[in-house]
Amino acid sequence: MLFHVRMDVHLPPGLDPAVRDEIVAREKAYSQELQRAGKWPHIWRIVGEYSNFSIFDVESNDELHRLLSALPLFPYMDIRVTALARHPSKVD
């Protein structure tokens, strides 16, 4: 199942810089693990924002929820998910 996911990060302004760096490092490692596993095949930064558009390729809604909620930045994110279906005009 394919999903389009928008993630907007809102870190607290007073967050200790060392804590921020540690969370961001864990986020990068986890997201790259999911990318290598094929679960997160596409990620694009949204220019001028601490946000991204991503495509996830997972087996179920529950798997997507599990993967997203395990993101180290999850407590600081607003996430919008859209389920995707193959378009009939797409050329293979």
Side-chain angles (χ1 to χ4, degrees):
M1 298 176 71
L2 294 177
F3 293 91
H4 172 270
V5 180
R6 178 180 174 136
M7 294 178 238
D8 299 302
V9 180
H10 307 286
L11 291 172
L15 186 64
D16 180 286
V19 172
R20 180 196 183 283
D21 291 348
E22 187 271 332
I23 294 170
V24 169
R26 285 190 298 120
E27 179 85 8
K28 182 177 182 177
Y30 179 61
S31 71
Q32 289 179 344
E33 173 187 323
L34 294 176
Q35 290 172 60
R36 283 189 288 275
K39 298 294 181 179
W40 194 338
H42 301 284
I43 182 170
W44 295 275
R45 178 174 305 278
I46 300 172
V47 175
E49 300 180 32
Y50 193 175
S51 304
N52 72 73
F53 286 131
S54 293
I55 301 295
F56 282 81
D57 188 357
V58 294
E59 295 298 318
S60 67
N61 295 337
D62 291 331
E63 181 184 15
L64 179 64
H65 181 76
R66 182 179 54 77
L67 295 177
L68 293 175
S69 62
L71 289 165
L73 287 171
F74 181 78
Y76 309 105
M77 288 182 172
D78 291 326
I79 298 175
R80 289 184 293 280
V81 176
T82 304
L84 301 174
R86 178 173 285 288
H87 195 283
S89 297
K90 181 181 181 315
V91 176
D92 288 325

